[in-house]
């Protein structure tokens, strides 16, 4: 019973970072990079606490549940957090002196960390249920390796094997529980953000429906009179002024259209759509626009990839993203569009450019109300695109590097 009590204390020490992060960090820290750093530090504190209050058994034999913060920190944080947490474990163990326990720790990390990092990328991009399975499988693998290395260095005894099996059960069961807990917290956080955005959309929708008609009427009248004033014998300078005024009125009208689209995102006229066909259509529609910006579009599109979507809305979202990719290359360049089915049950659409790129902070703000990287932009086009894709139960991922380019990845649930 004493050993189980010690393991329960270890579990309390591992749940502290999750509690602190969800209560004090998630809502207040806006930058994803800062959230990752903070969470890594919290997992590091959990590891130090677990190693400071180990489960002691036998002669100089001890166990801790450091696997849980190490595993979750690596899977959710990535390469550098995993290296930091592993280094922290080795340094702390080294502080106690070089012994069999130190060699045991180093060997287990060498045999398990590469496997954890190998699965980290697929863990990040997969669905919740598969994430839980990956985390549980890695926890089981870590404990099995730990049990094997421990037995090789110290020898197998019934007492040691019993404690190791208790350790394995605790590690696997609570890795499963904590992964589910983290996923639920992330879902609630995302739902809260979407509710906040929905409230903003509702206000925009109400304002737009009230004012759009009244604003458009005088704009159309003004545009008509400007066209009447544009006579052949008019001075060139005045003709330029008239043309500029008409273009600005048209731009204002496009903004109103974006507002109207933004205010009516819940159109559920969804049918079975072949994403490949739709992408070919979008490329044909935007081809002349790309040529006008000295941009070449290369395609590698998978056929017979079916999703439930509204074809017009899907086209609109893809055109918005493609236009942004083209406009990010003022001196021309190349855009790659690919479409393929992935093993997680999604149709993956990739739009990659050679543009100016974005910082992580800019990526985090993409799709937010009124945020745009263009001087004359409203950000509504990207907001509409994000919302359309989410309405299809899809996801948007963005990878970018300053001066190198940006890749938009759209994941849509595949149907048969």
């Amino acid at each position: 019973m004493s050993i189980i009590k010690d393991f329960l204390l270890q579990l309390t020490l591992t749940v502290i970072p999750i509690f602190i992060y969800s209560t004090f960090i998630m809502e207040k820290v806006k930058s994803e990079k800062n959230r990752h750093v903070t969470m890594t530090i919290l997992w590091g504190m959990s590891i130090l606490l677990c190693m400071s209050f180990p489960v002691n058994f036998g002669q100089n034999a001890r166990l801790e549940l450091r696997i849980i913060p190490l595993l979750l920190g690596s899977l959710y944080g990535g390469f550098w957090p995993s290296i930091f947490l592993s280094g922290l474990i080795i340094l702390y163990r080294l502080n106690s002196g070089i012994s069999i326990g130190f060699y045991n720790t180093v060997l287990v990390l060498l045999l398990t960390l590469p496997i954890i990092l190998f699965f980290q990328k697929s863990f990040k991009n997969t669905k919740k249920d598969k994430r839980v399975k990956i985390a549980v499988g890695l926890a089981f693998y870590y404990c099995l390796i730990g049990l094997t290395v421990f037995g090789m260095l110290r020898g197998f005894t019934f007492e040691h094997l019993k404690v190791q099996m208790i350790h394995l059960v605790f590690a696997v069961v609570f890795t499963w529980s904590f992964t589910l807990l983290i996923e639920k917290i992330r879902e609630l956080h995302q739902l809260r953000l979407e509710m906040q955005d929905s409230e903003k959309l509702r206000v925009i929708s109400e304002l737009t429906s009230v004012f759009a008609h009244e604003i458009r009427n005088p704009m159309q009248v003004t545009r008509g009179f400007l066209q009447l004033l544009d006579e052949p014998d008019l001075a060139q300078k005045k003709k330029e002024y008239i043309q500029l005024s008409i273009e600005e009125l048209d731009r204002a009208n496009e903004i109103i259209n974006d507002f109207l689209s933004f205010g009516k995102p819940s159109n559920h006229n969804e049918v079975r759509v072949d994403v490949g066909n739709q992408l070919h259509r979008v490329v044909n529609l935007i081809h002349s626009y790309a040529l006008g910006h000295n941009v070449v579009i290369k395609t590698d599109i998978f056929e017979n990839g079916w999703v439930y979507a509204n074809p017009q809305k899907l086209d609109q979202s893809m055109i918005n993203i493609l236009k942004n990719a083209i406009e990010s290359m003022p001196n021309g360049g190349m855009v790659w569009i690919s479409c393929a089915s992935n093993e997680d049950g999604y149709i993956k659409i990739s739009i990659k450019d050679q543009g100016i790129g974005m910082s992580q902070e800019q990526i985090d703000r993409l799709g937010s109300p009124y945020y745009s990287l263009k001087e004359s932009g409203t950000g509504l086009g990207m907001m509409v695109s994000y919302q359309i894709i989410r309405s299809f139960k899809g996801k948007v991922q963005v990878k970018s590097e300053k001066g190198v380019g940006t890749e938009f990845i759209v994941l849509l649930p595949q149907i048969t």
Side-chain angles (χ1 to χ4, degrees):
M1 287 300 293
S2 175
I3 288 174
I4 293 177
K5 280 169 56 181
D6 289 341
F7 273 123
L8 289 174
L9 171 62
Q10 291 273 309
L11 289 170
T12 303
L13 298 176
T14 57
V15 82
I16 289 174
I18 301 175
F19 170 76
I20 294 174
Y21 180 76
S22 60
T23 306
F24 302 106
I25 306 299
M26 183 175 280
E27 295 293 335
K28 295 180 181 178
V29 179
K30 301 302 180 183
S31 168
E32 187 176 353
K33 181 179 179 181
N34 291 339
R35 287 201 299 267
H36 272 222
V37 170
T38 305
M39 197 62 196
T40 302
I41 293 171
L42 289 172
W43 286 127
M45 291 171 56
S46 177
I47 287 173
L48 293 178
L49 289 170
C50 286
M51 295 181 74
S52 299
F53 302 97
V55 179
N56 293 300
F57 65 99
Q59 186 175 6
N60 296 323
R62 56 191 233 168
L63 282 173
E64 323 99 13
L65 289 175
R66 63 184 180 222
I67 168 58
I68 296 177
L70 171 63
L71 180 60
L72 296 179
S74 299
L75 290 176
Y76 284 101
F79 178 79
W80 289 113
S82 66
I83 297 299
F84 171 78
L85 295 174
S86 301
L88 196 65
I89 291 171
I90 292 172
L91 288 174
Y92 189 94
R93 202 69 183 85
L94 186 61
N95 189 53
S96 302
I98 297 178
S99 61
I100 293 179
F102 173 77
Y103 293 125
N104 184 93
T105 298
V106 173
L107 279 173
V108 171
L109 285 173
L110 286 174
L111 292 170
T112 56
L113 190 61
I115 305 299
I116 293 173
L117 290 175
F118 176 78
F119 281 99
Q120 192 274 330
K121 186 175 181 180
S122 59
F123 176 88
K124 183 179 179 181
N125 296 326
T126 194
K127 298 178 181 178
K128 181 181 77 172
D129 292 343
K130 195 167 181 181
R131 285 186 178 190
V132 174
K133 290 177 183 177
I134 290 173
V136 169
L138 290 173
F140 182 83
Y141 171 75
Y142 182 97
C143 294
L144 198 62
I145 293 295
L147 188 153
T148 304
V149 172
F150 184 91
M152 290 172 60
L153 293 176
R154 296 177 182 269
F156 290 98
T157 66
F158 176 75
E159 185 64 27
H160 288 173
L161 188 61
K162 182 180 75 173
V163 177
Q164 290 277 2
M165 291 306 296
I166 293 173
H167 174 258
L168 186 148
V169 170
F170 268 85
V172 169
V173 169
F174 283 95
T175 296
W176 172 76
S177 302
F178 287 173
T179 307
L180 279 178
L181 177 61
I182 292 172
E183 289 298 320
K184 180 58 68 175
I185 290 170
R186 285 159 64 97
E187 281 183 9
L188 290 173
H189 176 64
Q190 185 61 39
L191 183 61
R192 195 154 45 239
L193 292 177
E194 288 176 2
M195 287 179 66
Q196 291 172 358
D197 286 343
S198 296
E199 182 61 23
K200 293 174 184 176
L201 299 183
R202 187 186 65 79
V203 174
I204 291 171
S205 177
E206 291 178 359
L207 290 173
T208 303
S209 61
V210 171
F211 293 114
H213 181 68
E214 298 301 325
I215 292 172
R216 270 180 164 168
N217 279 344
M219 283 173 55
Q220 291 302 323
V221 172
T222 304
R223 193 181 192 282
F225 279 118
L226 285 170
Q227 287 176 316
L228 289 174
L229 289 172
D230 191 12
E231 297 177 349
D233 58 348
L234 201 65
Q236 183 61 33
K237 200 69 176 175
K238 290 183 179 180
K239 290 173 77 72
E240 289 176 5
Y241 290 154
I242 289 173
Q243 186 59 37
L244 183 61
S245 299
I246 290 173
E247 288 174 1
E248 287 302 299
L249 284 171
D250 289 341
R251 193 170 74 86
N253 193 49
E254 287 178 6
I255 293 171
I256 292 172
N257 287 334
D258 284 339
F259 269 113
L260 289 171
S261 298
F262 203 29
K264 298 177 182 177
S266 55
N267 188 354
H268 295 295
N269 297 327
E270 296 176 7
V271 295
R272 292 179 83 251
V273 175
D274 185 341
V275 178
N277 285 342
Q278 293 302 124
L279 283 177
H280 282 303
R281 173 182 168 82
V282 166
V283 171
N284 289 334
L285 287 172
I286 208 164
H287 182 67
S288 60
Y289 185 78
L291 289 178
H293 287 74
N294 197 27
V295 171
V296 177
I297 298 177
K298 297 285 186 180
T299 61
D300 180 15
I301 297 174
F302 166 75
E303 302 293 343
N304 294 319
W306 296 89
V307 300
Y308 273 121
N310 181 307
Q312 290 75 30
K313 294 287 186 182
L314 181 59
D315 288 355
Q316 182 184 359
S317 63
M318 293 297 103
I319 287 171
N320 283 338
I321 295 173
L322 264 172
K323 282 184 69 178
N324 278 355
I326 292 167
E327 291 167 1
S328 73
M329 297 181 285
N331 299 318
M334 192 169 291
V335 172
W336 291 269
I337 303 173
S338 65
C339 171
S341 174
N342 71 12
E343 60 183 14
D344 295 323
Y346 287 99
I347 297 294
K348 178 183 175 182
I349 303 167
S350 171
I351 299 174
K352 187 175 182 181
D353 63 56
Q354 297 174 312
I356 57 176
M358 293 179 284
S359 65
Q360 187 59 50
E361 184 180 356
Q362 290 170 327
I363 293 173
D364 294 339
R365 294 187 64 188
L366 275 179
S368 300
Y370 313 118
Y371 180 72
S372 175
L373 297 175
K374 294 178 282 188
E375 290 184 9
S376 60
T378 62
L380 287 171
M382 192 55 68
M383 292 161 66
V384 170
S385 297
Y386 269 64
Q387 193 169 11
I388 288 171
I389 292 163
R390 287 168 184 159
S391 73
F392 301 151
K393 297 181 175 58
K395 296 185 286 188
V396 182
Q397 299 170 356
V398 184
K399 301 175 183 178
S400 188
E401 188 177 342
K402 280 280 191 180
V404 176
T406 301
E407 181 181 15
F408 273 86
I409 297 173
V410 177
L411 299 171
L412 297 172
Q414 186 175 11
I415 60 172
T416 53

